[in-house]
């Protein structure tokens, strides 16, 4: 008896299992598991580029997104490109739905950046080469230094010659090539010198955007939808600003792209215009830049009534400049927010569910064989398998999300199935003599492992497509399934076979 | 030395096993024509059900807004009316319960601001825990395509590997068909029970491929590679193993389904339960029937059997 036990314990399969088990427990102790957003809490966003892009552009997009979110002071951010159109953004430690929505709007507002002067676009986000740290002065004035490309600087020098005090505008995602329908008062404000910085003689904002972006502005005077459509001939879309909402439905029914911008409560005409156009500025052109000499190092200055506002204004410009170089527009097409407290609940639940499932397996296997010496090894092998998978996940810092947990369940489920196959093969053919039983046992084990390898191979083959191909969250599922199946066939199943042979008296 | 011990206990287990085999022996006595026909009829019914009542797509495949509130115990209809009145958008409310908490899910059309729903609900249930998600239809479309592609490729990969392992047309095709039928029946049942097709349930259908081949490969191996037993005996030993496998997995899944309040885990568990039930029929009746027919034909032809 003792010799058999010793032989079992010295079997390399058992040793392998023990080593992996100890290794996993140690790993889990020193390097705790990390969880996905859907368990630890946080927000996951899926953004889609306006059109498919190449790998290089995608890299630019993810870099700039990462930078932008970092400047917002968010931590634990991952930005990951999937395929040629999808960017997955995960931000942990987000505690309120409001905060989650804010992140969404940040990503969405990240757009294509234009610098315009006197109705001519002289640079885009790609021309911003470097943005310096902004400065707040004791008198609450602020400045953001940045460097523009040589070509933009040359173009600008030519345009700006002798035009001190003229307005320089910056836009983030203006409604290019569109017809804007605005209330009378808004129209008047746009067509006045309100947006002209220190140069009333410069073209009005309305003239500038018409020339630069082909945006026509029309004052709303109860025009019918048909009349508006006529006015919008040749434009890409219609932007309705603070006009009766039914126009939107009517125009949409006519299959026209419409953006509807209602006025926020208490919003002034000025604020509304700035918001609709994505306008930053206008900034007054300093004298130094009007002599016709191209200058790449420029700065935007402004002043605010108090330090906090100054800080806000400067940091907004800073982030816009810094991240404005997005080569393509992004839309947030999906988001999911899980509060951290809930995530906590999920985690304990997953634990309970796992323990519950394990006990169920134990009881049902006992019920089938009426032998604890089968039921206990089967259930504990599953437990070992789970520990090793988790240990491995901790080792490579795999973020366990719900689909990953489902994958572990799948792997353990097939694991139990396969242990039952082994057990039944071992239990079969008991009536034969011992010698023939021995040889037939080998045959039976061979058959059991043929089944196991065949099903493992099919599962891995089926899942590896998921791993390579993007299917959002299914990646985690595929990964843990494959990992579990591999650990099963390489480590736990062979060890279980030895243990079962020992316990069932086959030697 | 070990003999006394190993002899003493098995008797009880043997009796259980013998009983189990006896209970399942009605399957062995079934005529193979019927064994093939009944599951095919079920498959056709499932196809018809799918044509009439395909499961609805979840918001992650179709687009939409969902707000989940935990720690809320409310009448869904009343709550839906309350929220709809409050925000002026029609919403649908579903309640759910778990072991620890209960809650509601509020579904709203795309474009609804989830924060407004949360604000409206917070007035009534300030202590609840809220999560929300929204998916644009464009992304839903991408996810749909990817899901279909994942299923198709996984299925093809499975078929290729099965062929490589058995190198025998009839048994391989039967395994593949059996997997297809499992999935079809599972999806048809989803339609009946109102379970939505989501990325999570697609994951479950993919898992099903793994579970399906397990039992089918077991059966096929036992019947094709059997040397010492008759077809019926090999079948019975396989089916009793399969029965143990299925009930164990079903039990574990049932527990998972009961304990978890996560919709993802719940849906995966229930779809797997559907699929495993279908698989029991498809493996032990359909696949077994085809193999019996195939082996007797081989024997008549003077094959190796």
């Amino acid at each position: 008896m003792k010799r058999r036990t010793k032989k079992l314990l010295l079997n390399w399969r058992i040793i392998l299992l023990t080593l992996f088990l100890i290794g996993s427990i140690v790993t889990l102790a020193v390097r705790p598991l990390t969880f996905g957003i859907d368990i630890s809490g946080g927000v996951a966003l899926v953004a889609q580029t306006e059109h498919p892009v190449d790998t290089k552009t995608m890299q630019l997009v993810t870099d700039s997104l990462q930078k932008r979110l970092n400047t917002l002071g968010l931590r634990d951010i991952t930005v990951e490109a999937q395929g040629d159109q999808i960017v997955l953004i995960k931000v942990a430690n987000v505690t309120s739905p409001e905060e989650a929505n804010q992140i969404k709007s940040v990503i969405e507002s990240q757009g294509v950046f234009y610098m315009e002067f006197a109705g001519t676009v002289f640079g885009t986000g790609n021309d911003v080469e470097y943005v310096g740290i902004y400065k707040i002065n004791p008198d609450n004035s602020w400045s953001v230094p940045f460097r523009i490309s040589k070509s933009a600087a040359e173009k600008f020098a030519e345009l700006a010659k002798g035009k001190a005090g003229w307005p320089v505008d910056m836009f983030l995602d203006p409604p290019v090539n569109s017809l804007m329908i605005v209330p009378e008062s808004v129209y008047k404000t746009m067509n006045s010198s309100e947006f002209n910085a220190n140069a009333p003689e410069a073209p009005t904002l309305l003239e500038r955007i018409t020339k630069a972006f082909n945006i026509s502005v029309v004052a709303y005077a109860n025009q019918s939808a048909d009349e508006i459509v006529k006015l919008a001939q040749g434009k890409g879309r219609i932007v309705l600003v603070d006009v009766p909402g039914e126009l939107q439905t009517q125009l949409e029914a006519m299959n026209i792209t419409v953006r509807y911008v209602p006025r926020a409560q208490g919003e002034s005409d000025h604020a509304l215009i700035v918001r609709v156009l994505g306008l930053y500025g206008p900034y007054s052109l300093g004298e130094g830049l009007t002599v016709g000499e191209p200058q790449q190092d420029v700065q935007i200055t402004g002043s605010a009534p108090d330090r906090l506002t100054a800080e806000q204004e400067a940091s907004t410009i800073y982030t816009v400049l810094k991240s404005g170089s997005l080569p393509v527009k992004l839309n947030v097409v999906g988001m999911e927010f899980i509060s951290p407290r809930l995530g906590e609940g999920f985690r304990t639940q997953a634990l309970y569910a796992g323990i519950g499932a394990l006990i169920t397996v134990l009881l049902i296997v006992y019920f089938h064989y009426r032998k604890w010496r089968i039921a206990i090894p089967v259930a504990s092998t599953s437990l070992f398998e789970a520990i090793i998978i988790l240990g491995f996940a901790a080792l490579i810092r795999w973020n366990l999300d719900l689909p990953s947990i489902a994958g572990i369940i799948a792997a353990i489920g097939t694991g139990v199935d396969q242990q039952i196959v082994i057990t039944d093969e071992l239990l079969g053919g008991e009536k034969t003599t011992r010698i023939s039983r021995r040889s037939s046992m080998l045959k039976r084990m061979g058959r059991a492992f043929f089944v196991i390898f065949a099903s493992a191979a099919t599962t891995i083959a089926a899942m590896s497509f998921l791993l390579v191909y993007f299917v959002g969250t299914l990646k985690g599922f595929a990964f843990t399934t494959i990992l579990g199946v591999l650990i099963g066939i390489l480590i736990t199943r062979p060890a279980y076979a030895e243990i079962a042979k020992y316990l069932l008296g086959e030697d | 030395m070990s003999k006394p011990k190993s002899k003493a206990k098995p008797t009880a287990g043997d009796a259980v096993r013998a009983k189990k085999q006896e209970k399942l022996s009605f399957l062995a006595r079934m005529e193979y024509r019927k064994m093939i026909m009944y599951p095919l009829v079920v498959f056709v019914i499932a196809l018809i059900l799918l044509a009439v009542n395909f499961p609805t797509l979840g918001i992650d495949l179709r687009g939409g807004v969902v707000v989940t509130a935990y720690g809320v115990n409310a009448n869904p209809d009343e709550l839906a009316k309350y929220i709809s009145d409050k925000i002026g958008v029609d919403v649908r409310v579903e309640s759910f319960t778990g072991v620890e908490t209960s809650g509601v899910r509020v579904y709203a059309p795309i474009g609804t601001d989830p924060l407004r729903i949360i604000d409206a609900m917070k007035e009534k249930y300030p202590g609840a825990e809220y999560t929300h998600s929204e998916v644009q239809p464009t992304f839903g479309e991408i996810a749909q395509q990817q899901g279909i592609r994942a299923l198709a490729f996984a299925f093809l990969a499975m078929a290729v590997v099965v062929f490589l392992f058995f190198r025998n047309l009839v048994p391989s095709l039967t395994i593949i068909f059996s997997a297809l039928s499992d999935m079809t029946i599972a999806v048809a049942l989803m339609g009946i029970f109102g379970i939505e097709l989501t990325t999570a349930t697609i994951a479950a259908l993919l898992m099903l491929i793994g579970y399906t081949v397990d039992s089918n490969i077991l059966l096929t191996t036992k019947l094709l590679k059997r040397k010492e037993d008759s077809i019926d005996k090999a079948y019975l030993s396989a089916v009793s193993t399969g029965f143990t496998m299925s009930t164990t997995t079903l039990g574990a899944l049932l527990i998972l389904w009961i304990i978890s309040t996560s919709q993802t885990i719940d849906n995966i568990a229930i779809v797997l339960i559907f699929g495993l039930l279908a698989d029991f029929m498809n493996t032990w009746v359909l696949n077994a029937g085809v193999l019996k027919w195939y082996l007797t034909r081989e024997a008549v032809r003077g094959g190796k059997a």
Side-chain angles (χ1 to χ4, degrees):
Chain A
M1 205 60 182
K2 278 224 170 91
R3 219 180 51 214
R4 280 186 74 218
T5 315
K6 203 166 143 192
K7 203 172 146 201
L8 174 76
L9 291 178
L10 286 179
N11 189 300
W12 64 268
R13 296 175 186 91
I14 305 290
I15 294 173
L16 194 69
L17 174 68
T18 321
L19 284 180
F20 267 86
L21 207 52
I22 294 171
S24 298
I25 293 170
V26 171
T27 311
L28 284 170
V30 293
R31 207 190 246 201
L33 282 170
T34 51
F35 293 93
I37 299 294
D38 52 1
I39 294 181
S40 68
V43 62
L45 298 123
V46 187
Q48 187 184 11
T49 59
E50 219 164 15
H51 48 81
V53 297
D54 56 24
T55 334
K56 227 176 110 194
T57 317
M58 195 49 122
Q59 187 66 40
L60 280 175
V61 171
T62 52
D63 284 353
S64 122
L65 261 182
Q66 181 92 46
K67 247 189 252 161
R68 170 133 201 201
L69 292 169
N70 281 337
T71 41
L72 280 176
L74 294 167
R75 275 168 301 123
D76 284 331
I77 307 159
T78 58
V79 180
E80 184 194 328
Q82 291 195 328
D84 57 1
Q85 253 194 306
I86 298 293
V87 184
L88 205 63
I89 303 119
K90 290 178 181 165
V91 187
N93 296 325
V94 176
T95 45
S96 73
E98 287 78 15
E99 203 184 332
N101 255 35
Q102 208 181 326
I103 294 169
K104 180 190 167 199
S105 60
V106 163
I107 293 168
E108 269 186 320
S109 69
Q110 161 136 357
V112 187
F113 178 69
Y114 297 96
M115 294 177 280
E116 171 268 346
F117 184 81
T120 307
V121 174
F122 64 89
T124 66
N126 290 325
D127 292 307
V128 179
E129 291 184 341
Y130 162 83
V131 185
I133 307 293
Y134 57 84
K135 212 167 76 194
I136 314 280
N137 300 317
D139 64 344
N140 295 329
S141 66
W142 52 264
S143 59
V144 185
F146 65 105
R147 185 182 301 139
I148 56 174
S149 71
K150 203 162 165 245
S151 64
E154 279 165 2
K155 210 164 164 188
F156 183 64
E158 199 180 306
L159 287 168
K161 199 169 173 185
K163 290 177 178 157
W166 277 44
V168 183
D169 310 303
M170 302 197 177
F171 294 90
L172 195 61
D173 276 331
V176 175
N177 190 28
S178 64
L179 172 75
M180 277 172 71
I181 310 290
V182 301
E184 184 74 38
S185 65
V186 171
Y187 182 86
K188 277 191 177 143
T189 311
M190 286 175 96
N191 209 15
S192 73
S193 58
E194 184 168 337
F195 288 93
N196 278 19
N198 301 321
E201 72 278 16
T204 61
L205 178 64
L206 199 152
E207 290 168 315
R208 301 204 295 271
I209 57 171
T210 306
K211 192 171 165 222
F213 302 115
N214 190 23
I215 299 172
S216 322
V217 186
V218 173
Y220 179 63
N222 295 320
Q223 291 98 330
S224 69
D226 289 314
E227 286 171 301
I228 292 174
V229 171
K230 230 172 262 162
L231 288 169
Q233 281 296 319
K235 303 277 186 186
R237 62 177 154 167
I238 296 174
V239 182
L240 299 172
V241 183
D242 190 29
V243 293
E246 56 264 28
L247 270 179
Q248 183 188 10
T249 3
Q250 288 167 13
L251 288 168
E252 270 170 359
M254 295 157 90
N255 236 347
I256 285 164
T257 315
V258 182
R259 182 177 147 213
Y260 183 70
V261 186
R263 189 191 292 261
Q265 212 163 17
E267 195 173 27
S268 68
D269 284 344
H270 188 104
L272 184 60
I273 292 166
V274 164
R275 185 159 66 93
V276 172
L277 292 177
L279 175 65
Y280 293 85
Y283 303 101
S284 170
L285 179 58
E287 295 222 11
L289 289 167
T290 58
V291 291
E293 285 289 312
Q295 290 183 38
Q296 285 184 259
D297 285 300
V298 291
Q299 63 175 8
I300 294 176
T301 55
S303 60
D306 55 78
R307 197 181 160 82
L308 192 71
T309 321
E311 181 96 31
Q312 271 172 4
E313 283 179 7
S315 90
T316 310
I317 292 300
Y318 175 76
T319 36
V320 165
L321 283 175
K322 193 120 185 156
S323 59
S325 49
L326 203 62
V328 59
K329 175 102 182 95
L330 275 179
N331 284 315
V332 172
V333 289
M335 82 175 281
E336 189 178 17
F337 165 71
I338 302 279
S339 83
R341 223 181 80 199
L342 254 188
E344 190 102 4
F346 281 158
R347 213 174 323 172
T348 39
Q349 249 180 41
L351 193 68
Y352 290 158
I355 293 170
L358 207 64
I359 292 171
T360 318
V361 167
L362 180 78
L363 294 179
I364 295 179
V365 173
Y366 174 74
F367 176 79
H368 274 292
Y369 297 102
R370 299 295 153 100
K371 277 187 201 164
W372 288 115
R373 51 167 57 202
I374 294 175
I376 292 172
V378 168
S380 39
T381 309
S382 298
L383 177 66
F384 297 160
E385 210 167 299
I387 292 174
I388 297 175
I389 298 175
L390 292 178
F392 204 84
L395 187 71
I396 63 162
R397 306 223 161 184
W398 182 266
N399 279 333
L400 280 183
D401 49 9
L402 286 174
S404 301
I405 290 177
I408 296 178
I409 296 165
I412 291 172
T414 46
V416 173
D417 281 2
Q418 295 174 355
Q419 285 162 36
I420 290 167
V421 173
I422 296 174
T423 313
D424 275 4
E425 288 291 352
L426 275 173
L427 287 175
E430 59 273 271
K431 284 181 193 102
T432 39
T433 63
R434 234 183 142 202
I435 311 271
S436 69
R437 184 163 129 202
R438 216 180 134 89
S439 69
S440 100
M441 202 272 301
L442 281 177
K443 216 186 286 162
R444 283 162 185 281
M445 274 298 96
R447 202 157 58 192
F449 273 90
F450 176 82
V451 174
I452 288 168
F453 281 126
S455 62
T458 36
T459 309
I460 291 174
M463 290 302 160
S464 43
F465 275 104
L466 272 191
L467 203 58
V468 180
Y469 257 99
F470 139 71
V471 184
T473 51
L474 291 184
K475 250 188 183 162
F477 169 70
F479 176 78
T480 42
T481 311
I482 293 178
L483 181 65
V485 169
L486 281 178
I487 289 172
I489 54 170
L490 297 177
I491 302 163
T492 44
R493 233 76 79 222
Y496 173 78
E498 293 304 314
I499 296 171
K501 267 192 245 171
Y502 168 80
L503 288 173
L504 295 176
E506 305 270 356
D507 201 14
Chain B
M1 298 161 259
S2 60
K3 234 178 168 183
K5 201 138 204 186
S6 61
K7 265 268 153 89
K9 294 227 168 153
T11 40
D14 285 345
V16 177
R17 238 151 39 87
K19 221 172 172 186
K20 184 162 68 188
Q21 296 208 354
E22 198 193 326
K23 258 188 216 153
L24 292 167
S25 67
F26 76 95
L27 288 171
R29 282 196 302 270
M30 215 194 256
E31 201 211 341
Y32 63 75
R33 253 182 271 273
K34 280 185 186 159
M35 290 176 91
I36 297 173
M37 207 174 69
Y38 291 156
L40 282 181
V41 171
V42 177
F43 176 69
V44 172
I45 292 175
L47 280 184
I48 295 169
L49 277 174
L50 278 185
V52 191
N53 182 23
F54 196 81
T56 38
L57 298 179
I59 67 149
D60 58 346
L61 297 185
R62 188 195 51 200
V65 172
V66 58
V67 171
T68 313
Y70 291 78
V72 170
N73 220 329
N75 177 321
D77 294 336
E78 277 170 25
L79 187 61
K81 199 174 167 315
Y82 165 77
I83 298 171
S84 302
D85 288 349
K86 201 101 186 168
I87 65 168
V89 178
D90 272 336
V91 300
R92 192 165 59 80
V93 176
E94 226 177 65
S95 66
F96 62 89
T97 48
V99 170
E100 282 185 333
T101 58
S102 58
V104 290
R105 274 184 270 273
V106 182
Y107 296 89
I110 193 71
T112 316
D113 184 356
L115 291 183
R116 285 181 64 207
I117 299 176
I118 293 177
D119 284 342
M121 288 189 72
K122 266 187 181 158
E123 279 176 34
K124 269 192 139 176
Y125 311 99
E129 197 72 13
Y130 296 93
T131 77
H132 67 275
S133 60
E134 51 181 308
V135 176
Q136 300 293 324
T138 42
F139 182 59
E141 237 163 74
I142 296 179
Q144 265 181 55
Q145 279 169 13
Q146 299 283 358
I148 291 168
R149 212 190 290 181
L151 273 179
F153 277 133
F155 198 82
L156 273 178
M158 180 270 291
V160 169
V161 178
V162 166
F163 261 116
L164 287 178
F165 265 95
F166 288 106
R167 293 166 205 244
N168 205 336
L169 198 68
V170 175
S172 308
L173 280 180
T174 322
I175 295 181
I176 293 160
F177 177 77
S178 166
L180 181 71
S181 173
D182 285 353
M183 285 203 245
T184 313
I185 294 170
V187 179
L189 285 174
M190 282 168 70
I192 293 177
F193 287 94
I195 291 157
E196 292 180 336
L197 204 61
T198 58
T199 28
T201 43
I202 288 179
L205 293 173
L206 286 167
M207 263 184 186
L208 214 50
I209 292 180
Y211 285 121
T212 308
V213 288
D214 254 7
S215 53
N216 278 296
I217 289 175
L218 169 74
L219 173 75
T220 311
T221 312
K222 280 229 175 185
L223 289 197
L224 288 190
K225 299 207 166 185
R226 106 215 116 81
K227 293 278 153 33
E228 59 268 35
D229 302 322
S230 69
I231 299 183
D232 279 357
K233 233 175 147 193
Y235 170 72
L236 258 177
S237 106
V239 80
S240 85
T241 304
F243 190 64
T244 315
M245 282 158 64
S246 303
T247 45
T248 314
T249 318
L250 280 173
L253 288 173
L254 210 59
I255 291 296
L256 210 58
W257 183 71
I258 293 170
I259 293 182
S260 146
T261 48
S262 140
Q263 204 183 10
T264 313
I265 301 279
D266 271 3
N267 284 354
I268 288 179
I270 198 78
V271 172
L272 280 177
I273 290 174
F274 291 157
L276 283 178
L277 291 176
D279 185 50
F280 198 80
M281 175 190 78
N282 281 325
T283 306
W284 308 110
V285 183
L286 173 71
N287 193 358
V290 173
L291 285 174
K292 269 191 193 177
W293 163 77
Y294 173 75
L295 288 172
T296 24
R297 205 194 53 167
E298 288 278 282
V300 170
R301 267 211 208 143
K304 40 194 160 104

